[in-house]
Amino acid sequence: MTLWIVAMIAVPVVAGLMIALGREEQARGTALLASFVSAIPVLGGLLRFDYADAARFQGRGSLEWLSELGIRLSVGIDGVSLLLIALTALLGPICVGASWTAIKERKRSYYAWLLALQGAMIGVFAARDLMLFYVCFEFTLLPMFVLIRQYGSDPEMRIRAATKFFLYTFTGSLLTLAGLVYVAWVGAQQNSGVWSLDMGYLTGVAQGMPGTQQAWVLAALLAGFAVKVPLFPVHTWLPLAHTEAPTAGSVILAGVLLKLGTYGFFRFAMMMTPSAFAEHAPTLAVLAIVGIIYAGLICWVQTDVKKLVAYSSVSHLGFCVLGLLAANRTGVSGSVLYMLSHGLSTGALFLMIGFMYERYHTRDMRTVGGLASKMPVWATFMVFFTMASVGLPGLNGFPSELLCLIGTFQSDAEWVQAGEPGAEGGLLGPWYAAVAGIGMVVAAIYLLYMVGKICFGELREPKHHADHDHELPDDLTAREITVLVPLAIGCLFFGLYPKSLTDPIADSVDVAVRTVLTGESPERVAPPPAAEDHAEDSHDGEGGP
Amino acid sequence: MMSTLAQSGVPEIMGSITLAHYLFVSAVMFVLGLIGFLTRRNLIIMFLCTELMFQAAGIALIAFSRFHMNLDGQTFVIFVLCVAAAEAAMGLALTVLLFRKRESLSADEWRELSG
Amino acid sequence: MTTLAADAAHSAVTSGPAWAILIPAFPILGFALAGFFAATGNKNKLPALATVVCLAASFVTTVLLYFAWKDAGGGAMTVKAWDWFDIGSPGADFVASFSFYIDSLTIYWMLFVTGLATLIGLYASEYMSHDVGLGYCRFFAAFNLFVFSMSCLVMGSNLVMLYLGWEGVGLCSYLLIGYFYKKPSAVAAAKKAFIVNRIGDLGLALGLYLTFVHFGTVEYADLFANEKLLTYVDAAGRGAFHEIPVAAQGIALLLMVGAFGKSAQFPLYVWLPDAMEGPTPVSALIHAATMVTAGVYLVARFYPLFLTSQFALPIVAWVGAITALLAATIGMAQFDIKRIMAYSTVSQLGYMFAGLGVLTPTGGAYHVLTHAFFKALLFLACGAVMHGFAGQLDLRKLSGLWRVKGWMVVTIGMFVGCINLAGVPFTAGYFSKDTIIAECFVTPGAGPIGWILLFTAFLTAYYTFRVFFRVFMGPTEYHAGDDLHDAEAAAAHDEEVEHEAETGDHHFHPHAPGWAINSVLAILAVCSIAATGLYFVGGGKVDVHGHEVKAKHYAQSMVLQSTAAYVTPYDHHAFHPDDHSGDHANADHAEEPPAGVEPPERAIERPVFEPDVTDTIAPEREADLREALTHHVPPPAGVGPQGSIGEPLSFFGYDPHKAMYYVSGGLGALGILLAAALHWVGRRDAAHCAMDGIAKRFGPIPRWAENKWYVDEFYDSTIRKPLLAVSTWVFAAFDRLVIDGLIVNGFGYLPRIAGSLIRPTQSGRLHAYASGMAVGVLVLMLIVVLVLVRTGGLS
């Protein structure tokens, strides 16, 4: 299992290097092949994973890195990580396929960075060492920066967007680093000066901190993760970055990169600082709810369709955070489900917009629209994914939204005390869910506004349509449909059988929920011994968060 | 010869010349170089002035080396001289290139680094 | 002697036949086939054929299920397809499986849903023929998907399944209203329908959450057997609403919002008239017969929850009545025949809600059924007109169509629909409407609702026959609509030679409906009349929670066996032993518990009475009733229909049910006569009639009514526009200028400002740097020296 995990990270990175050193005209073919090959270890992981014991970090293995500081290359995955990795691997070939004709120049660098990004993202989800996590977390910025800056749509704005994206998220995560290092320092002091950055150990250390310290650590963690999510009011980098990024960049950004933030909430904010998390959950929930409605209403008045979808991510991720803040099994399961399903439907929406942009070189809904009469297949997919995003039952948006909202709703302290059969948690309550539920109505408003403009009505095409890209036919090509179909199937599957996804994460979610509600992790991880020189020791028995 | 000198600790022939003299010469050379560098605009002159400062430092190094009866300083100066020679070649080549670009040797012609 | 436990045991739900899944599966197959035909570029009517076959198969399966259900004893059954949601292992699990709950209400609804869908699918195969190709496939794909969603809605075994169907039908409604997607008005109407429905859906969703929190389950089988719920129903029966937690009472109020959205009740009715932008078969199936009755289904299905809520049913009744009246007044002033039908649908849905609100779910459900047939018929007849006259819907431009060759079936169909809608005696619509109105006069406190509904019945008869007399009667005259550009139709018309004497456009020939349309109209006309029979047959003894109750007719027997048949909270007839309501005699009161037994158990076992079950009071029952009276806690006064007990429960001394036969029949006849006088007699052409002069005397009121009392404009100016303005000028601007501009970029500018302050030091001149360095070195040396001097290091 350990080897599978290592391969998950290593294959895309190595392939990326090969592409960078290889020939320009071979770049995209190699990338496609590599993205499929990278999926093999993930498949292996999915098959080898022991679902009966999904809360345990399986395939634990570590390698010396900087032993003086206790930093090791340590990996291991639980159910949540596994599914997020699977999502990342699924999006890999799709991103390559979506870039097939869109990227015409400097393909080597483009595909190399794309694959490196994939490796780094998997690294984030698989890391069990704080520093490895952080390095991967930060490394994702670099490929994304390049993708936006070099391959973005508008030559002027893309530089601005890339810079803002980089500086904004980087600034936030530096504070996170400070918080993590502080926790590691406290951990080293408790462990007679021996440093260790093992996540399981440090989680226990942080949980043992007094309230004020936890609050500060939580603040530091949130500084990075909330920006990444992004939570209102630190969201403004996202619309800009999304709008300028190339299609595949947007897909990855929406599909996985934003989930690094919610994953951080789940893995760190909940587990390390449970009591502070519980204390501040209502405040954060208010931010999430404000974000849901505020961003939703902003969507409604956008003219750039990509910006609209970008803002819709802000709104949607608000639900995701809300589910985590509810801190009960329904809410947190829904939230993890949201991480997965949002990647599919919003990623697909970005693909749709990308396909349109490739043909018309504009995203302005005032100049292009009514495409259903010219691109019926495209419009069909567009309506499908929009409905997935609206949260239509039977598609992927619904289970996650439903569970997040039920989780929020049932998490009422009075109800829990009164012993209502369906109440659990105690941090939020029905009013939060009711107000957040308005976001469902707002989502319908802006997404239907978008579909109404861009798919329906009289055909509107930009005046300079003479420079229509004639490499592409009017409607979708077989390649484009092939890219979309897996996502569509995924949307349907998630919608009709969410149990297949909530089961593998149930145990991890349970651990997280108990941690927050009781303030302490069920299992404490013993401090690791002073650094020893064993190259690769896979001790599968090591449990804990 | 050198070995006896080294062992005695104090140079016999130049008994009246102390470390302070060397340092004085070094300082004078350095200040001359500095003044030259600051006041002249000709790239070649300025370059020569930097060499002057360089050598001033070298003298100081050798003087201290002799004073402490430690060969480190002298070894170091030999390296510095080597580097200086290479650097002189590079510097002069650069100067020629710069001259070709602007048809002038004035340092004021080059101010692209202005913030 | 029944106890709570026995009740619960009785309602234990058995497992049903697995092939029931085929009912929703066939439409999905049809959907897949239509999609396949679309992908293969089909250019003939195969999608319609596939649809009709699939839907017919679904209908046949439903009929088979009906018999299987009867054979199984008539209880509730569940059929599980697969696990859908299952969160958490211990404690409060959120479990909702993809499964179906089959009881009488389900079957009752599914029978007419699948049956009508089949017929209307057949009708649509001809109606949509101008669009054969991709559009045809798209239409039938959505049509099938609709039937699938509707069957999930009706058959779902839990609230989440219901929600799936609920939103699913909303989606299909959206897709089908926006079928003519190039028309901006169609797109806007589709969007409006979806969004207004979403507001209702939010209520439904919150109701779902609250149900889960309070009862710990969303599965019907567990919910309706929940002991808490049974206790509440009992408490409500005693009028002891203070014993019921607010949370439990809130569920009904939330679900009600959802029902109002889907069933187009005030204030959420505005989407339905606009929904007429869709093709007429869609209007007939979705926006008249089936989808819009989902709200009625919801209330009927959750009747126990509505009973436990102090305010829910009175609100339902009042909203229904207000909607009925409001929509009727708007309908009177419209000129677009399809819109008139739309408003009449809203109005009739109001009747159904009023019926539910005044404690006669039977009346509501029966009206749903009769309305489904006659309104589908009316719509399809209007659609035939629209199809034949190139989209003409203005009743001022059509007249005397019955004389036009080939339009007799349509005329008869329209006539049958109209007499049903107008409530002409002995039609199905007459009986179902009367049940509701009469019940208003029976239920204490609901008298005003009854009067409103009676007045509305008069208006209904008027506007219904206004359409009929203007479009089908009088001198023959017609003008083509604006769909003449249709290439196929134009080509067909050119071939024909003008030989008919027309007073209208001389270049236009209406094309008479073909066999598909005519046969469907004929079948529906027969069904509409036959539905009357259900008022007289199909009754008999049914088993209600272990009690034998005599149902008067088929609809009642179906309702009584379902969850809609819970004990009515105010067994109001019991308060007036001398009322006509001797129907208590039907109940198995031998099981009346002896005095001293706890009230909850007493109430639970009280069987359900439909007040329209008219019998004479058995002498031995009178004592029972008087005894029952002494045990009843009077409900608090002034809480809606149930409140004031003192009111007479008779209609001027007569049995309301009998009186209504004459009163509403008379009012209907009056309305028809008025319509005839104003719109038929003496009318010379299509555009002018006697009403024109009279309308002028009312001043601006007819114009206001024609403009729908400006409700849309009111919503637009008080909700949509302010929200849009806030979004544009507050949120979007705030986001761009303050959050991103001031704060984020402000932070970004900090280093830039600092940089610009020290930038001059970077002059780019070599000498400046050198001097700076020299000065720096000097300063450093100075500091070193000073420090050494201070510390005495130099000495």
Side-chain angles (χ1 to χ4, degrees):
Chain A
M1 189 75 181
T2 312
L3 281 178
W4 285 118
I5 299 175
V6 172
M8 288 176 201
I9 306 170
V11 170
V13 173
V14 170
L17 274 176
M18 279 164 58
I19 290 170
L21 300 172
R23 290 223 307 271
E24 176 82 8
E25 57 269 29
Q26 289 174 341
R28 66 181 188 184
T30 319
L32 188 64
L33 185 70
S35 60
F36 277 111
V37 173
S38 326
I40 294 174
V42 178
L43 268 181
L46 280 169
L47 293 176
R48 287 285 307 276
F49 192 78
D50 175 13
Y51 293 95
D53 193 13
R56 184 172 59 84
F57 287 93
Q58 303 180 16
R60 288 299 303 272
S62 61
L63 204 65
E64 280 307 314
W65 190 8
L66 298 169
S67 40
E68 291 84 355
L69 291 171
I71 300 174
R72 303 170 68 83
L73 292 169
S74 164
V75 293
I77 52 176
D78 69 344
V80 176
S81 304
L82 180 74
L83 291 184
L84 285 167
I85 289 172
L87 173 72
T88 314
L90 171 73
L91 289 179
I94 287 171
C95 285
V96 176
S99 315
W100 203 254
T101 54
I103 303 301
K104 298 190 174 68
E105 289 163 345
R106 287 168 298 163
K107 291 180 201 156
R108 276 189 311 173
S109 128
Y110 179 85
Y111 290 108
W113 283 119
L114 204 61
L115 283 161
L117 181 56
Q118 189 180 344
M121 290 186 303
I122 295 178
V124 173
F125 297 129
R128 287 308 296 157
D129 181 278
L130 215 50
M131 204 41 66
L132 180 62
F133 167 84
Y134 188 76
V135 168
C136 289
F137 187 79
E138 289 294 47
F139 182 76
T140 57
L141 292 183
L142 201 56
M144 205 61 218
F145 175 76
V146 177
L147 291 185
I148 297 177
R149 194 178 190 287
Q150 302 296 329
Y151 302 90
S153 46
D154 184 299
E156 299 260 322
M157 283 304 284
R158 68 189 189 192
I159 294 173
R160 198 177 147 73
T163 313
K164 190 173 215 166
F165 159 74
F166 192 95
L167 289 181
Y168 206 144
T169 47
F170 187 67
T171 312
S173 38
L174 274 183
L175 293 172
T176 304
L177 177 67
L180 295 178
V181 168
Y182 176 73
V183 175
W185 179 71
V186 172
Q189 285 195 322
Q190 289 177 5
N191 194 20
S192 57
V194 180
W195 283 74
S196 160
L197 279 110
D198 179 74
M199 273 162 64
Y201 169 62
L202 290 183
T203 301
V205 168
Q207 281 168 7
M209 288 178 173
T212 333
Q213 276 188 46
Q214 266 200 24
W216 281 106
V217 172
L218 177 69
L221 293 173
L222 287 186
F225 297 142
V227 170
K228 204 85 174 181
V229 170
L231 198 62
F232 174 86
V234 286
H235 62 273
T236 51
W237 63 270
L238 183 73
L240 194 62
H242 261 316
T243 318
E244 294 307 320
T247 301
S250 291
V251 173
I252 294 206
L253 192 56
V256 187
L257 278 187
L258 302 188
K259 310 312 171 333
L260 300 187
T262 44
Y263 179 77
F265 262 83
F266 175 74
R267 193 68 91 205
F268 294 91
M270 285 183 90
M271 302 300 295
M272 284 190 157
T273 57
S275 52
F277 183 85
E279 192 184 333
H280 296 287
T283 322
L284 291 169
V286 169
L287 286 183
I289 292 169
V290 169
I292 290 171
I293 294 170
Y294 172 88
L297 286 174
I298 290 178
C299 284
W300 187 26
V301 295
Q302 294 302 316
T303 51
D304 183 329
V305 59
K306 206 169 178 190
K307 208 165 210 166
L308 192 158
V309 178
Y311 267 113
S312 86
S313 279
V314 181
S315 183
H316 280 144
L317 268 287
F319 283 108
C320 187
V321 173
L322 199 61
L324 285 175
L325 294 168
N328 48 33
R329 283 167 304 148
T330 324
V332 178
S333 301
S335 183
V336 177
L337 207 57
Y338 216 119
M339 296 181 205
L340 301 165
S341 77
H342 178 263
L344 291 187
S345 52
T346 304
L349 279 180
F350 278 119
L351 285 176
M352 301 307 304
I353 294 165
F355 295 154
M356 181 195 85
Y357 185 78
E358 250 189 276
R359 287 167 171 79
Y360 291 103
H361 298 290
T362 180
R363 296 179 306 250
D364 192 336
M365 289 188 281
R366 288 167 302 190
T367 56
V368 65
L371 295 178
S373 50
K374 192 162 186 184
M375 305 168 70
V377 179
W378 180 86
T380 309
F381 275 107
M382 188 75 188
V383 171
F384 179 87
F385 288 120
T386 304
M387 284 302 154
S389 199
V390 169
L392 189 84
L395 298 178
N396 61 343
F398 172 68
S400 37
E401 201 171 273
L402 175 82
L403 293 176
C404 284
L405 283 177
I406 290 193
T408 310
F409 194 92
Q410 67 180 174
S411 177
D412 182 85
E414 279 181 35
W415 281 343
V416 173
Q417 275 192 332
E420 290 280 9
E424 191 182 315
L427 303 184
L428 305 178
W431 291 108
Y432 292 88
V435 179
I438 295 173
M440 284 166 42
V441 180
V442 178
I445 293 178
Y446 66 76
L447 285 167
L448 293 189
Y449 157 78
M450 175 185 85
V451 172
K453 281 261 177 191
I454 207 154
C455 287
F456 302 139
E458 284 292 341
L459 181 66
R460 293 189 307 280
E461 290 179 320
K463 288 195 184 70
H464 60 274
H465 193 55
D467 28 289
H468 177 284
D469 196 331
H470 289 290
E471 278 178 37
L472 292 165
D474 279 348
D475 211 339
L476 296 186
T477 61
R479 167 185 61 85
E480 287 165 332
I481 293 175
T482 316
V483 166
L484 291 172
V485 163
L487 290 175
I489 292 174
C491 286
L492 260 178
F493 181 74
F494 277 33
L496 291 176
Y497 198 48
K499 194 171 180 290
S500 62
L501 300 168
T502 50
D503 279 355
I505 59 172
D507 294 347
S508 303
V509 167
D510 206 32
V511 170
V513 167
R514 270 186 290 155
T515 308
V516 172
L517 294 184
T518 63
E520 205 165 84
S521 183
E523 305 126 56
R524 296 295 291 261
V525 177
E532 289 164 35
D533 286 346
H534 38 207
E536 179 145 347
D537 50 350
S538 52
H539 27 201
D540 270 17
E542 201 170 309
Chain B
M1 183 68 176
M2 282 301 288
S3 59
T4 50
L5 275 175
Q7 284 155 359
S8 66
V10 182
E12 290 169 14
I13 308 165
M14 294 175 274
S16 56
I17 303 176
T18 60
L19 176 66
H21 295 99
Y22 290 103
L23 292 184
F24 181 72
V25 171
S26 160
V28 168
M29 272 174 75
F30 188 85
V31 172
L32 279 176
L34 185 62
I35 291 170
F37 188 82
L38 289 182
T39 52
R40 301 300 293 263
R41 291 288 180 273
N42 188 302
L43 279 173
I44 293 177
I45 302 290
M46 286 168 78
F47 184 70
L48 289 179
C49 290
T50 60
E51 288 296 314
L52 209 56
M53 287 189 276
F54 220 175
Q55 302 315 320
I59 288 174
L61 271 172
I62 293 176
F64 275 115
S65 164
R66 188 73 183 88
F67 180 71
H68 291 300
M69 293 315 286
N70 182 341
L71 284 179
D72 286 0
Q74 298 191 32
T75 321
F76 194 64
V77 168
I78 288 170
F79 276 105
V80 167
L81 281 176
C82 292
V83 173
E87 179 212 309
M90 282 293 292
L92 283 172
L94 276 172
T95 310
V96 171
L97 276 175
L98 292 174
F99 179 77
R100 282 188 187 162
K101 280 258 177 195
R102 294 280 159 93
E103 292 290 327
S104 160
L105 280 174
S106 169
D108 290 346
E109 289 291 316
W110 301 91
R111 42 194 306 180
E112 267 74 10
L113 279 178
S114 171
Chain C
M1 155 100 225
T2 337
T3 61
L4 272 173
D7 252 12
H10 172 77
S11 52
V13 176
T14 54
S15 163
W19 47 264
I21 295 172
L22 289 176
I23 298 174
F26 279 121
I28 273 292
L29 177 68
F31 171 72
L33 284 174
F36 171 75
F37 290 133
T40 51
N42 186 283
K43 289 272 186 274
N44 52 33
K45 287 192 178 181
L46 265 182
L49 183 70
T51 302
V52 172
V53 169
C54 286
L55 295 183
S58 185
F59 175 65
V60 170
T61 319
T62 313
V63 173
L64 292 177
L65 182 66
Y66 172 61
F67 290 113
W69 166 78
K70 255 196 156 163
D71 290 344
M77 309 186 284
T78 54
V79 179
K80 183 165 160 186
W82 66 81
D83 284 326
W84 194 18
F85 287 94
D86 188 357
I87 302 296
S89 30
D93 294 354
F94 181 72
V95 181
S97 53
F98 205 97
S99 55
F100 303 103
Y101 182 85
I102 296 153
D103 72 348
S104 54
L105 197 68
T106 311
I107 293 174
Y108 181 79
W109 235 268
M110 280 317 291
L111 277 172
F112 76 81
V113 167
T114 51
L116 276 175
T118 313
L119 287 176
I120 295 174
L122 181 64
Y123 175 96
S125 69
E126 180 182 337
Y127 187 88
M128 300 304 296
S129 55
H130 60 280
D131 227 7
V132 166
L134 206 55
Y136 206 64
C137 298
R138 184 159 54 91
F139 177 86
F140 282 103
F143 199 86
N144 277 305
L145 194 61
F146 168 76
V147 180
F148 165 77
S149 306
M150 193 71 202
S151 44
C152 285
L153 195 165
V154 175
M155 295 174 67
S157 81
N158 52 55
L159 263 166
V160 187
M161 276 298 283
L162 180 122
Y163 192 79
L164 169 91
W166 197 265
E167 293 245 303
V169 292
L171 166 75
C172 299
S173 158
Y174 169 78
L175 293 176
L176 289 168
I177 296 171
Y179 177 76
F180 300 113
Y181 60 81
K182 286 184 187 168
K183 246 169 91 183
S185 60
V187 177
K191 198 168 73 180
K192 184 174 175 183
F194 197 91
I195 291 167
V196 173
N197 266 306
R198 263 266 154 152
I199 298 173
D201 294 355
L202 176 59
L204 178 63
L206 292 174
L208 189 166
Y209 308 157
L210 193 53
T211 309
F212 171 65
V213 168
H214 195 70
F215 294 107
T217 178
V218 289
E219 294 279 353
Y220 298 161
D222 301 334
L223 180 63
F224 293 121
N226 189 295
E227 286 198 20
K228 259 193 197 169
L229 181 61
L230 298 178
T231 323
Y232 297 159
V233 172
D234 166 57
R238 289 178 285 115
F241 284 109
H242 58 272
E243 291 176 16
I244 305 171
V246 181
Q249 296 203 33
I251 295 172
L253 295 175
L254 290 169
L255 295 180
M256 186 176 78
V257 177
F260 287 170
K262 193 59 79 192
S263 288
Q265 294 298 294
F266 184 82
L268 298 177
Y269 71 94
V270 288
W271 64 271
L272 185 57
D274 286 11
M276 297 304 132
E277 291 285 346
T280 308
V282 170
S283 310
L285 179 66
I286 301 186
H287 303 122
T290 55
M291 182 186 90
V292 288
T293 65
V296 182
Y297 171 79
L298 180 75
V299 179
R301 172 60 78 207
F302 290 92
Y303 217 62
L305 283 170
F306 278 83
L307 295 173
T308 57
S309 178
Q310 190 173 359
F311 300 110
L313 284 178
I315 294 175
V316 166
W318 275 103
V319 167
I322 290 167
T323 313
L325 180 63
L326 183 73
T329 56
I330 300 175
M332 280 166 63
Q334 299 297 311
F335 293 102
D336 179 323
I337 53 175
K338 232 176 124 182
R339 267 182 193 261
I340 296 174
M341 290 308 147
Y343 280 107
S344 105
T345 305
V346 176
S347 176
Q348 296 302 307
L349 288 166
Y351 272 95
M352 298 167 203
F353 274 93
L356 294 167
V358 299
L359 306 172
T360 169
T362 300
Y366 185 43
H367 199 52
V368 165
L369 182 77
T370 58
H371 176 259
F373 284 118
F374 70 70
K375 189 51 71 60
L377 176 61
L378 284 169
F379 264 112
L380 295 183
C382 290
V385 172
M386 190 184 175
H387 188 62
F389 291 86
Q392 185 57 271
L393 283 171
D394 193 331
L395 53 76
R396 287 167 302 192
K397 293 183 177 160
L398 295 166
S399 177
L401 296 190
W402 73 280
R403 272 194 223 101
V404 182
K405 201 178 136 211
W407 288 84
M408 193 42 95
V409 177
V410 177
T411 308
I412 293 171
M414 189 76 181
F415 182 72
V416 170
C418 283
I419 56 174
N420 267 292
L421 176 55
V424 169
F426 310 116
T427 56
Y430 167 75
F431 289 115
S432 56
K433 193 191 280 179
D434 280 1
T435 311
I436 292 169
I437 300 177
E439 197 64 16
C440 294
F441 292 106
V442 171
T443 305
I449 295 174
W451 286 110
I452 293 175
L453 293 184
L454 268 182
F455 180 59
T456 310
F458 165 68
L459 298 182
T460 309
Y462 167 73
Y463 72 71
T464 310
F465 273 88
R466 171 173 172 254
V467 173
F468 185 75
F469 289 143
R470 290 200 73 151
V471 176
F472 290 92
M473 293 292 143
T476 301
E477 177 187 339
Y478 46 81
H479 305 267
D482 43 13
D483 285 355
L484 256 189
H485 54 78
D486 188 310
E488 191 196 12
H493 294 140
D494 287 343
E495 290 166 20
E496 282 182 42
V497 188
E498 286 185 39
H499 53 79
E500 284 174 58
E502 299 158 9
T503 51
D505 292 10
H506 286 282
H507 302 291
F508 171 69
H509 292 265
H511 79 114
W515 69 270
I517 288 182
N518 277 336
S519 59
V520 169
L521 287 178
I523 296 171
L524 278 177
V526 171
C527 286
S528 300
I529 295 167
T532 316
L534 297 183
Y535 193 66
F536 297 101
V537 299
K541 296 207 168 192
V542 288
D543 181 53
V544 180
H545 307 297
H547 303 271
E548 287 251 305
V549 177
K550 183 165 165 273
K552 193 178 161 198
H553 52 77
Y554 177 78
Q556 191 173 43
S557 83
M558 289 305 261
V559 170
L560 284 185
Q561 294 175 73
S562 73
T563 57
Y566 259 76
V567 182
T568 48
Y570 297 96
D571 214 344
H572 42 266
H573 297 224
F575 297 115
H576 299 271
D578 43 2
D579 193 348
H580 76 289
S581 53
D583 43 8
H584 287 237
N586 298 323
D588 193 354
H589 270 256
E591 291 188 353
E592 193 84 292
V597 173
E598 299 305 309
E601 293 187 1
R602 273 179 53 87
I604 285 299
E605 49 181 274
R606 250 180 297 136
V608 177
F609 311 105
E610 286 308 314
D612 39 340
V613 183
T614 43
D615 271 62
T616 50
I617 306 173
E620 68 271 21
R621 285 286 308 116
E622 279 214 22
D624 264 342
L625 287 173
R626 291 193 190 288
E627 191 259 354
L629 248 181
T630 57
H631 280 82
H632 278 295
V633 183
V639 288
Q642 311 97 331
S644 29
I645 323 152
E647 278 179 35
L649 294 176
S650 65
F651 191 75
F652 297 114
Y654 298 97
D655 171 3
H657 283 277
K658 284 174 184 150
M660 252 349 101
Y661 289 150
Y662 304 105
V663 176
S664 96
L667 280 172
L670 203 62
I672 296 171
L673 286 178
L674 189 65
L678 295 179
H679 294 282
W680 184 21
V681 180
R683 188 159 57 83
R684 299 278 166 75
D685 59 3
H688 303 93
C689 68
M691 183 62 194
D692 298 344
I694 296 169
K696 283 198 187 87
R697 299 202 184 159
F698 285 96
I701 294 174
R703 203 182 67 240
W704 290 348
E706 192 187 341
N707 286 316
K708 306 164 259 174
W709 305 115
Y710 299 100
V711 173
D712 280 321
E713 284 76 6
F714 176 74
Y715 286 165
D716 192 55
S717 59
T718 55
I719 300 172
R720 192 186 149 269
K721 282 207 181 110
L723 199 60
L724 189 63
V726 165
S727 305
T728 317
W729 300 114
V730 180
F731 287 170
F734 179 76
D735 204 55
R736 203 174 59 247
L737 298 177
V738 177
I739 295 195
D740 197 39
L742 200 65
I743 300 176
V744 175
N745 288 347
F747 270 101
Y749 272 114
L750 278 183
R752 192 170 285 195
I753 291 166
S756 68
L757 286 179
I758 51 172
R759 188 184 298 155
T761 58
Q762 300 290 313
S763 63
R765 285 201 313 266
L766 196 53
H767 288 95
Y769 296 132
S771 326
M773 220 162 96
V775 171
V777 169
L778 263 179
V779 169
L780 271 179
M781 280 173 64
L782 219 63
I783 290 172
V784 169
V785 169
L786 276 178
V787 169
L788 287 178
V789 168
R790 276 284 169 83
T791 55
L794 268 189
S795 52

